[in-house]
Amino acid sequence: MVWNPTVMKDWQIAEEAEKNLPTPEEYQEMLGLQKDELIPHGKTPKVDFLKVIDRLKDKPNGKYIEVTAITPTPLGEGKSTTSLGIMEGLGKRGANVGGALRQPSGGPTMNVKGTAAGGGNALLIPMTEFSLGLTGDINDIMNSHNLMMVALNARMQHEANYTDAELAKRGLKRLDIDPKKVEMGWVIDFCAQGLRNITIGLGGKNDGFLMQSKFGIAVSSELMAILAVAKDLADMRERVKHIVVAYDKQGKPVTAADLEVDGAVAAWMRNTINPSLCSTVERQPCFVHAGPFANIAIGQSSIIADRIGLKCFDYHVTESGFAADIGFEKFWNVKCRLSGLKPNVSVLVATVRALKMHGGGPAVVPGRPLPEEYTKENLQLLEKGCENMVHLINVIKKSGIKPVVCINSFYTDTKAEHALVKRIAEQAGARAAVSEHWLKGGDGALDLADAVMDACREEVDFKYLYPLEMPLRQRVEVIAKEVYGADGVDWEPLAAEKAKKFEADPKYADYSTMMVKTHLSLSHEPSWKGIPKGWRLPIRDVLVYGGAKFLCPMAGSISLMPGTGSDPAYRRIDVDVNNGKVSGLF
Amino acid sequence: MVWNPTVMKDWQIAEEAEKNLPTPEEYQEMLGLQKDELIPHGKTPKVDFLKVIDRLKDKPNGKYIEVTAITPTPLGEGKSTTSLGIMEGLGKRGANVGGALRQPSGGPTMNVKGTAAGGGNALLIPMTEFSLGLTGDINDIMNSHNLMMVALNARMQHEANYTDAELAKRGLKRLDIDPKKVEMGWVIDFCAQGLRNITIGLGGKNDGFLMQSKFGIAVSSELMAILAVAKDLADMRERVKHIVVAYDKQGKPVTAADLEVDGAVAAWMRNTINPSLCSTVERQPCFVHAGPFANIAIGQSSIIADRIGLKCFDYHVTESGFAADIGFEKFWNVKCRLSGLKPNVSVLVATVRALKMHGGGPAVVPGRPLPEEYTKENLQLLEKGCENMVHLINVIKKSGIKPVVCINSFYTDTKAEHALVKRIAEQAGARAAVSEHWLKGGDGALDLADAVMDACREEVDFKYLYPLEMPLRQRVEVIAKEVYGADGVDWEPLAAEKAKKFEADPKYADYSTMMVKTHLSLSHEPSWKGIPKGWRLPIRDVLVYGGAKFLCPMAGSISLMPGTGSDPAYRRIDVDVNNGKVSGLF
C-alpha cells in the first residue's frame, strides 16, 4: 500500500497506516521474542532489554547500517525519512530488517510543526504516541534529573540552617557547596526561554537556598546522555553515581552520590532501559530509544537499542544526528567504541538542494520560499557543491567503511542532476543510489536497498580515528584536521588550562571526546559552506560530564534551552473528545 | 494467604503477594470487560473509560461505599488501609468488590518514607509501580500545566517585543497581561521549597519575560483537580479552556483558551482519563486514578473511576481525603453532586489513639515515641475523646447516610477500649465493628464487611447539606455551623468583597464550594482537639479556579509546595541492577 504524499498530509497517511499497526503478538513474532520479553504498553510495547540480551548473547549480530548526511541546509536533508526508507526498501527485498530512532522532545513538537517521524511513505507510526510522550522515558529523565536539583538545593538550605553537630545527627557531613559553582540546572521538556536564567530560593530560611539557577530542555539532561550510552542497568547505575551536580568551596566536585540521591535517581530511571517498539508504515519494526543532544551528547538512539536490534534483525538501521562531521564522527569514535559494535556500512544522505547550497547557492531560510536555483536544474552549482559530499565520503572511508550515498530525491530534481551526483559519488569510491522512499515507500528505495545489501557483503576493516591513549588536545587536532578540514586548533587560555588538567588526571583517561560544533558547516562558522579552506578551529572551553564520562571541547556555543516562538505549533493542536485522536501535530 | 506484618515490612509482603498479581486477562474477567477495553501497560493495565462507560450505560450501579475518618493525629488513622481492608473483607464474603484510590505524588514518596499503599495485609500492589510514576498521569498533568506557563511567559515576551501590527501578522491580539497578577505558577512533582518563590526571565529580550513566579507540587495543579471531577474527555476539554492563567491590566481573566494552548493541553492529557488497575494483596481489583489536594480540590480519586467501578463491581469502595469534616463534606456536597451518584454507606475510621488525643491526651508528634497514654489502656481519655467521633457520626447522618464506624485495631488497644468505642458509636446511631485487616487481611475485616453489607441493604434518603441556589457566604455559614460546629463565620474584608462579587455574577452559579481548612481539628486551628466550642470560622480569602469551577473559601493557609527535609527518604532508595527491583521505598 502506497499513499500519495503530494495530496495527503503525514498525519493522514499515518492514520491510514495505523489501521494495520503490528499488534504486540506480531511484534513478538517479527523480533523472535518470547512472550515475557515484551512489556505491554498501549500501542507501543517495550522490550525487556535485560532478558533479551541475556538469552541472545551467543547469537551472531546482524548487519549494522548507520545513516548520516552531508552538511545540511537549515531545512534538514531527510536522514530520519531515509532511515525509514532503507528499512522499507530492505523489507521489500524480503530481508528481516528493523532499526532504531531517537525519541523527539516535547519542546520542538509544541513549538514547530513536525515530529521527527520521517515523512510521506517513509513514516513512523503510531505518530501521536511517538510525538507526545511515548513510553514516558523523557518524563522519567526529567523527574530523576530534577530530583538531583531538589536534593542539591535542599541540602544547601539545611547546611545553611544547621550546625555541623546538627547535621551529624542526621548522618550528614557538610558538603560546603559553592553556590557560584553550581553548573547543573533543572529541566523541563518544553522550549521555555523564560526559565533560562532564574533566581531561586527567595523567601525565608525554609524556602530553599537563594541562588542563581536555570532550566534546560529535558533531552539535554546528562541522564539522557547516559541513557544513550549505557550498556545496561548496572552501567547506568554506576554512571549516575558520578554525575557532578556542583563544586564545593575548595573546587572539588559534588556528585549525585555525595547528595545520596543516586540510588533514587537510578530507581526512577529503571524502566527507561527498555526500548519502545514502533513501526514503519510498511510494518518494519523500529525501536525508539533515547534522544540525546548531538552537541554535548552523542545525538543518536541508544547503544541498548542497537544491541537488541542487531540480535533481532538481519539488518539493523540506526541514524546519527547532525551531519557526518559530527554525527558520523561520534558514531565512529564514541558510540561504536563504547558499544564494541562494528558497523557494516554508512549511508550518506545527500540532496540536490543542499549540494547546490554548497556550490554557492543563495541562503536557504526556513519559512521563506526556496530561491529559483533550488527549484530549477543547475548543474554548475550542483557540481561545485558536490565537494562537500566527496569530503564526507572520504571522512567515512577513513573508518574503513565504504559508504553508500543516498540521493534523497525531491520532485524538483532533474534526471541529469541525479546522474551527476551519482557519478561524482562513485568516482569518490562510494556506492550511490537515487531513492524515492518519500514518494513511493519501499518500492522507491529498492536501488538504495540493493546498494546497502551489496555493501554489507564486503568485509569492513573498521578502525577508529584515534586511539584511546591519545591525549585530549591531540584528539581534537586530529578531528579538526582529518574530519573538519581545518588547518589546526586554537585553544583559548581557559580551554587549554582545563585540557591540560584533564590530560594529566588519569581519572579522565576513559572519558569520551564529544565535540561541540555547528552542523551547518564543516567549520565552526555556520555560514561557511562547501569545504571551507584556510581556517583554524577555536576551542573556547571544555565541559565535563562525570556520569556520562564526556569531555566536550566547545567549538561553538550551545543553548540548552530553546525558545518558544510567536506562532508556536501548540496553537493548532487539539484532541477529538469522542475518540481521543490528536489533530494538528503534523 | 496472610503474612505477619509484625515481622515483615510492607515491601516484603508486597513482593510475596506480587507473585500472584492478577494478569491483564484476570483483570478483564474480574471486571467483566471486553478485550479491547483494557489498555496494556506493564503490570498495571488501564481501562478504556469511554468504551466501558458507553457499553455499560444501562447496567445498574453497584453499592457505593465511601471511607472517611475522625479528626486524625498527624500520623493518620489508616483510611487507605481500611479501604483496602473493606475490599478484602467483602472479598472473603464472596462479594464482587473493588474500589478506587488516589495516586500518590513523587514529592512525599521521596521525602518521607511511605507510599499511601495501605499497610500490612491491607496493601495495594504492585507497590513500586504505584509509588513511582504508575501510568504517568502525574507526568502528563505536569507537562500540560507547564505548557500553559510556557505559553504565558513566551506570549508576554513577544507582546513586549512586538508592536500590535507585528502581533497581528501572527494572528495575535495583544492580551496585555499584568505581570503582577499572574496567579498560576509552574509545577514539579517533588518537594522543592527552593522553587516556591523565584524570579524568571532574567537575561536579554529573547530570554522570556522578567517576573516573579513560583512552582507548586504537580498534584496541586488545577489540571489534577479537573481530572478528579471531569465526567469525560469532553468535559475535561471544556474545563481546560476556562483555566485562568493570569489577569490583564484591566483585571479581566486571561484563560488557557486566550493563550490558544487549551487544545494542546487537552491533547497531552488525553490518556489520563483512563484509570489504572492495581490490586489488593488478596486480589480485589482497585482503580488508581487522580490524586488532587484535599484543600483546594476534592482530595478524592476520580469521578470517572467511581463511575466505572460502580458498573463493574457489586460493591465499590472509595476513599475521601482528610477527615470527615473536609473529606466527607466534599464527597457529599461536591463530588456526589457533580457525578449524580448516590452513596449507600460511609465508613468512619476511628482509632483508639486518635480518640484518646481528642480526650485530652498529649500531643502526637511524628518521629517521636508515643506517650504512655496511647500505649496503655485509658478508658477515661478514650470516653471523653469519643465526642469527636459522635460529632462526625452526626455530620454524616445529616446526609441521610447511617455510617459504619470502623475501629481500626492497633496491637496496643485493649478489648475494653474497643468495646467502649463500639458502644458509644452504636448509641450515636451508627453500626460499628472492630477490624484487624492490617494484621489479618480480609479475615480480620469480616465483622466490618458484614456491617457494611448490612448497611448497604438499607435505603438511603441522600440529601445535600445546601442547595445549589444557596449563595456562597450562606453555604460557608451552613458548613461552618453544621459540619465544623462553629458559632458563625467572620469574613475578612478582601474575602467578603470577593464573595459578594462571585454571588452577584451568574457565571459562578455552578461553581463548587471547596473549603480550605486544616484536617487536624474540626476548627481552623490545628491544636484544638475534640469538639472545639465557642469559636467562629475566619475566611481570609476566596480562591477561584475557572477550569475546575471551584470557589475556595480560605479558612487556613495552604502551601502548594512542601519542603524536602534534612533526612529525606531518597537517601535510602535504590534499584537492584540485576532485575530492576526497587528497594527502600517502604
Side-chain angles (χ1 to χ4, degrees):
Chain A
M1 184 92 196
V2 171
W3 294 275
N4 185 347
T6 63
V7 297
M8 284 172 82
K9 291 196 182 292
D10 286 348
W11 69 263
Q12 292 172 311
I13 295 174
E15 192 165 311
E16 285 304 310
E18 282 172 31
K19 292 176 183 163
N20 201 19
L21 184 75
T23 64
E25 293 72 25
E26 286 173 328
Y27 277 127
Q28 192 192 321
E29 205 189 308
M30 286 173 179
L31 276 79
L33 299 178
Q34 298 179 348
K35 188 158 193 286
D36 70 338
E37 291 171 346
L38 217 58
I39 301 167
H41 189 282
K43 296 174 184 171
T44 55
K46 285 192 163 202
V47 173
D48 191 319
F49 167 67
L50 293 175
K51 278 188 192 160
V52 173
I53 211 68
D54 186 58
R55 181 173 61 81
L56 298 178
K57 59 180 178 295
D58 298 324
K59 192 184 167 192
N61 282 343
K63 302 295 184 184
Y64 196 15
I65 302 157
E66 186 250 8
V67 179
T68 185
I70 62 166
T71 305
T73 70
L75 305 177
E77 308 317 308
K79 278 198 310 293
S80 300
T81 308
T82 300
S83 300
L84 294 161
I86 296 171
M87 295 177 218
E88 293 175 349
L90 287 167
K92 284 282 175 193
R93 287 298 188 219
N96 166 25
V97 58
L101 289 184
R102 285 168 291 169
Q103 178 172 5
S105 156
T109 302
M110 286 293 160
N111 188 31
V112 290
K113 206 168 148 181
T115 70
N121 285 288
L123 200 62
L124 195 74
I125 54 173
M127 221 176 182
T128 299
E129 283 73 8
F130 174 73
S131 309
L132 297 183
L134 201 67
T135 48
D137 290 351
I138 294 180
N139 290 326
D140 286 347
I141 285 166
M142 175 166 52
N143 286 323
S144 306
H145 183 113
N146 287 335
L147 184 59
M148 291 191 280
M149 293 302 294
V150 166
L152 174 76
N153 193 267
R155 180 65 171 259
M156 291 169 81
Q157 170 193 308
H158 296 306
E159 291 199 6
N161 291 347
Y162 292 125
T163 62
D164 285 359
E166 286 167 326
L167 291 173
K169 259 196 265 174
R170 295 157 175 89
L172 301 174
K173 223 179 115 270
R174 188 172 294 278
L175 293 175
D176 215 20
I177 292 156
D178 185 345
K180 299 276 185 189
K181 286 190 197 142
V182 176
E183 295 200 355
M184 191 179 271
W186 311 74
V187 295
I188 187 176
D189 200 39
F190 292 114
C191 300
Q193 65 266 47
L195 298 180
R196 266 180 207 145
N197 308 296
I198 63 177
T199 310
I200 67 172
L202 299 161
K205 62 178 247 185
N206 293 318
D207 294 319
F209 188 90
L210 178 67
M211 60 190 280
Q212 256 196 298
S213 194
K214 63 189 172 187
F215 272 75
I217 196 162
V219 291
S220 75
S221 165
E222 183 171 356
L223 291 171
M224 180 60 98
I226 289 175
L227 177 62
V229 299
K231 273 193 285 290
D232 51 31
L233 190 54
D235 187 26
M236 182 196 281
R237 174 74 188 81
E238 180 64 22
R239 287 173 186 269
V240 166
K241 209 189 277 183
H242 300 288
I243 293 176
V244 177
V245 178
Y247 292 87
D248 70 14
K249 287 180 183 150
Q250 276 66 50
K252 278 192 305 194
V254 175
T255 63
D258 292 329
L259 292 171
E260 298 176 277
V261 73
D262 52 325
V265 165
W268 205 289
M269 291 274 291
R270 73 199 183 286
N271 292 325
T272 62
I273 65 154
N274 299 316
S276 300
L277 273 168
C278 290
S279 171
T280 72
V281 290
E282 298 188 1
R283 291 170 60 89
Q284 282 77 38
C286 182
F287 291 109
V288 177
H289 199 217
F293 267 34
N295 43 33
I296 54 162
I298 58 165
Q300 333 228 348
S301 60
S302 71
I303 285 179
I304 281 175
D306 286 354
R307 285 182 68 193
I308 303 188
L310 287 167
K311 292 297 180 192
C312 294
F313 310 127
D314 294 338
Y315 294 88
H316 175 76
V317 181
T318 197
E319 176 197 343
S320 299
F322 281 6
D325 57 331
I326 310 276
F328 175 76
E329 190 278 306
K330 292 185 181 184
F331 173 77
W332 173 19
N333 295 299
V334 179
K335 191 179 183 189
C336 287
R337 182 145 25 201
L338 288 172
S339 70
L341 298 170
K342 291 203 165 65
N344 293 85
V345 64
S346 281
V347 175
L348 183 70
V349 180
T351 60
V352 167
R353 177 176 70 192
L355 291 169
K356 285 176 175 172
M357 175 189 74
H358 290 299
V364 175
V365 182
R368 290 205 206 138
L370 277 178
E372 203 182 74
E373 284 83 349
Y374 297 105
T375 54
K376 295 207 168 139
E377 183 171 287
N378 190 326
L379 295 171
Q380 237 181 328
L381 280 183
L382 184 62
E383 181 159 15
K384 172 82 179 82
C386 277
E387 64 178 22
N388 180 279
M389 172 183 76
V390 171
H391 176 89
L392 290 169
I393 288 172
N394 291 331
V395 166
I396 294 170
K397 282 163 73 181
K398 290 178 189 180
S399 73
I401 295 169
K402 188 172 157 189
V404 171
V405 169
C406 164
I407 304 159
N408 186 16
S409 175
F410 284 24
Y411 70 100
T412 45
D413 299 349
T414 67
K415 285 212 169 137
E417 288 178 330
H418 285 167
L420 176 65
V421 179
K422 191 163 188 289
R423 180 171 57 75
I424 296 175
E426 285 171 348
Q427 277 169 354
R431 289 176 176 81
V434 176
S435 189
E436 298 185 299
H437 41 270
W438 181 81
L439 189 64
K440 300 179 184 167
D443 282 331
L446 291 176
D447 287 350
L448 176 62
D450 290 343
V452 166
M453 289 173 97
D454 193 40
C456 284
R457 283 182 207 107
E458 273 182 22
E459 273 300 307
V460 172
D461 177 23
F462 186 65
K463 45 193 181 293
Y464 304 120
L465 180 63
Y466 54 82
L468 258 191
E469 304 74 48
M470 188 179 281
L472 177 62
R473 278 171 300 174
Q474 208 179 322
R475 289 187 193 190
V476 176
E477 184 95 9
V478 169
I479 294 169
K481 288 180 173 171
E482 299 285 322
V483 179
Y484 306 160
D487 292 342
V489 180
D490 290 330
W491 292 79
E492 293 194 9
L494 168 76
E497 189 193 323
K498 282 194 180 179
K500 265 181 234 169
K501 198 187 81 185
F502 296 134
E503 288 170 5
D505 189 340
K507 181 179 154 190
Y508 299 102
D510 64 343
Y511 275 49
S512 301
T513 302
M514 196 62 74
M515 298 300 295
V516 175
K517 186 182 80 65
T518 179
H519 62 300
L520 295 173
S521 168
L522 290 172
S523 75
H524 58 284
E525 173 48 57
S527 63
W528 298 348
K529 303 301 179 188
I531 311 183
K533 292 284 182 200
W535 60 282
R536 298 175 63 81
L537 186 76
I539 301 292
R540 294 166 200 158
D541 196 356
V542 183
L543 298 187
V544 52
Y545 289 92
K549 295 196 173 182
F550 294 163
L551 295 177
C552 305
M554 307 272 291
S557 61
I558 43 170
S559 166
L560 299 185
M561 177 52 92
T564 288
S566 54
D567 185 17
Y570 58 69
R571 294 177 82 186
R572 286 167 287 277
I573 295 171
D574 210 332
V575 62
D576 182 332
V577 295
N578 297 309
N579 54 29
K581 272 192 196 166
V582 174
S583 59
L585 262 178
F586 324 107
Chain B
M1 184 91 197
V2 171
W3 294 274
N4 185 346
T6 63
V7 298
M8 286 172 81
K9 291 195 183 292
D10 286 347
W11 69 263
Q12 292 171 312
I13 295 175
E15 191 166 311
E16 286 304 309
E18 283 172 28
K19 292 175 184 165
N20 201 19
L21 184 74
T23 63
E25 293 71 24
E26 287 173 328
Y27 277 127
Q28 191 192 321
E29 206 189 308
M30 286 172 178
L31 276 79
L33 299 178
Q34 297 180 348
K35 191 161 192 287
D36 70 337
E37 291 171 345
L38 217 59
I39 301 165
H41 188 281
K43 296 173 184 170
T44 55
K46 284 191 163 201
V47 173
D48 192 320
F49 167 67
L50 294 176
K51 278 188 191 160
V52 173
I53 211 67
D54 186 59
R55 181 173 60 82
L56 297 179
K57 60 180 179 294
D58 298 325
K59 192 182 166 194
N61 283 343
K63 302 294 184 185
Y64 195 15
I65 301 158
E66 186 250 7
V67 179
T68 184
I70 62 166
T71 306
T73 70
L75 305 177
E77 307 317 307
K79 276 196 312 291
S80 300
T81 308
T82 300
S83 300
L84 294 161
I86 296 171
M87 294 177 216
E88 293 176 349
L90 287 167
K92 285 282 175 191
R93 287 297 188 218
N96 166 27
V97 57
L101 289 184
R102 285 168 290 169
Q103 178 172 5
S105 155
T109 302
M110 285 294 160
N111 187 31
V112 290
K113 207 169 145 180
T115 69
N121 286 288
L123 200 63
L124 195 74
I125 54 173
M127 221 177 181
T128 298
E129 283 74 7
F130 174 72
S131 310
L132 297 183
L134 202 65
T135 48
D137 292 349
I138 294 179
N139 290 326
D140 286 347
I141 284 166
M142 175 166 53
N143 286 323
S144 306
H145 183 114
N146 288 335
L147 184 58
M148 291 191 280
M149 293 302 293
V150 166
L152 174 76
N153 193 268
R155 179 65 170 260
M156 292 169 81
Q157 171 194 307
H158 296 306
E159 290 199 6
N161 292 346
Y162 292 126
T163 62
D164 285 358
E166 286 167 326
L167 290 173
K169 258 197 264 171
R170 294 157 175 90
L172 301 174
K173 220 179 116 270
R174 189 172 294 279
L175 294 175
D176 215 19
I177 293 155
D178 186 344
K180 299 277 186 190
K181 286 192 199 141
V182 175
E183 294 201 356
M184 192 180 271
W186 311 74
V187 295
I188 185 177
D189 199 38
F190 292 114
C191 301
Q193 64 266 48
L195 298 180
R196 266 180 207 145
N197 308 296
I198 64 177
T199 311
I200 67 172
L202 299 161
K205 61 179 248 186
N206 293 319
D207 294 319
F209 188 91
L210 178 68
M211 60 191 279
Q212 257 197 299
S213 194
K214 62 189 172 187
F215 272 76
I217 196 162
V219 290
S220 75
S221 166
E222 184 171 355
L223 291 171
M224 179 60 99
I226 288 176
L227 177 62
V229 298
K231 272 193 286 289
D232 51 30
L233 190 54
D235 187 26
M236 182 196 281
R237 174 73 188 83
E238 179 64 21
R239 286 172 185 270
V240 166
K241 208 189 278 184
H242 300 288
I243 293 176
V244 177
V245 178
Y247 292 87
D248 70 14
K249 287 179 183 153
Q250 276 67 51
K252 277 192 304 192
V254 175
T255 63
D258 292 328
L259 292 171
E260 297 176 278
V261 73
D262 52 325
V265 165
W268 204 290
M269 292 275 289
R270 74 200 181 286
N271 292 325
T272 61
I273 64 153
N274 299 315
S276 300
L277 273 169
C278 290
S279 171
T280 72
V281 291
E282 298 188 2
R283 292 171 60 88
Q284 283 76 37
C286 181
F287 291 108
V288 177
H289 199 217
F293 267 31
N295 42 33
I296 54 163
I298 58 165
Q300 334 229 347
S301 60
S302 71
I303 285 178
I304 281 175
D306 286 355
R307 285 182 68 193
I308 304 187
L310 287 166
K311 293 297 180 193
C312 294
F313 310 127
D314 294 337
Y315 295 87
H316 175 76
V317 181
T318 197
E319 177 197 343
S320 298
F322 282 7
D325 56 333
I326 310 278
F328 174 77
E329 191 277 306
K330 292 185 180 183
F331 174 76
W332 172 20
N333 294 300
V334 180
K335 191 179 183 189
C336 287
R337 183 150 18 205
L338 288 172
S339 70
L341 298 170
K342 291 204 165 64
N344 294 85
V345 65
S346 280
V347 175
L348 183 70
V349 180
T351 61
V352 168
R353 176 176 70 192
L355 291 169
K356 284 175 175 171
M357 176 188 73
H358 290 299
V364 174
V365 182
R368 290 205 207 138
L370 277 177
E372 204 181 74
E373 285 82 348
Y374 297 104
T375 54
K376 295 206 168 140
E377 183 170 288
N378 190 325
L379 296 171
Q380 238 180 328
L381 280 182
L382 185 61
E383 180 159 13
K384 173 82 178 82
C386 278
E387 63 176 24
N388 180 279
M389 172 183 76
V390 170
H391 176 89
L392 291 170
I393 288 172
N394 290 332
V395 166
I396 294 170
K397 282 163 72 180
K398 290 178 188 179
S399 72
I401 296 169
K402 189 172 155 189
V404 171
V405 169
C406 165
I407 304 159
N408 186 17
S409 175
F410 285 24
Y411 71 102
T412 46
D413 299 349
T414 68
K415 285 209 168 139
E417 288 177 330
H418 285 166
L420 176 64
V421 179
K422 190 163 189 288
R423 181 171 56 78
I424 295 174
E426 285 171 350
Q427 279 169 351
R431 289 177 177 80
V434 176
S435 189
E436 297 185 300
H437 41 271
W438 181 80
L439 190 64
K440 300 179 183 167
D443 282 330
L446 291 176
D447 288 350
L448 177 61
D450 290 343
V452 166
M453 288 173 97
D454 195 40
C456 284
R457 281 182 208 107
E458 273 182 19
E459 273 300 308
V460 172
D461 176 24
F462 186 64
K463 46 192 180 293
Y464 304 120
L465 180 62
Y466 53 83
L468 259 190
E469 304 72 48
M470 188 180 281
L472 177 62
R473 279 171 298 173
Q474 208 179 323
R475 290 186 192 190
V476 176
E477 184 96 8
V478 169
I479 294 169
K481 288 180 172 170
E482 298 286 322
V483 179
Y484 307 161
D487 292 342
V489 180
D490 291 330
W491 292 79
E492 292 195 9
L494 167 76
E497 189 193 322
K498 283 194 181 180
K500 265 181 234 170
K501 197 187 82 185
F502 296 134
E503 289 170 5
D505 188 341
K507 180 178 157 191
Y508 298 102
D510 64 342
Y511 275 48
S512 302
T513 302
M514 196 61 73
M515 298 300 296
V516 176
K517 185 182 80 66
T518 179
H519 62 301
L520 294 172
S521 168
L522 290 172
S523 75
H524 58 286
E525 172 50 55
S527 63
W528 298 349
K529 303 301 179 186
I531 311 184
K533 292 283 180 198
W535 60 281
R536 299 176 62 83
L537 186 76
I539 301 292
R540 293 166 202 158
D541 196 358
V542 182
L543 298 186
V544 52
Y545 290 93
K549 293 196 172 182
F550 294 163
L551 294 177
C552 305
M554 306 273 291
S557 62
I558 43 168
S559 166
L560 299 186
M561 177 51 92
T564 288
S566 54
D567 185 17
Y570 59 69
R571 294 177 82 186
R572 285 166 287 278
I573 295 172
D574 211 331
V575 61
D576 183 332
V577 295
N578 297 308
N579 54 29
K581 272 191 196 165
V582 174
S583 60
L585 262 179
F586 324 107

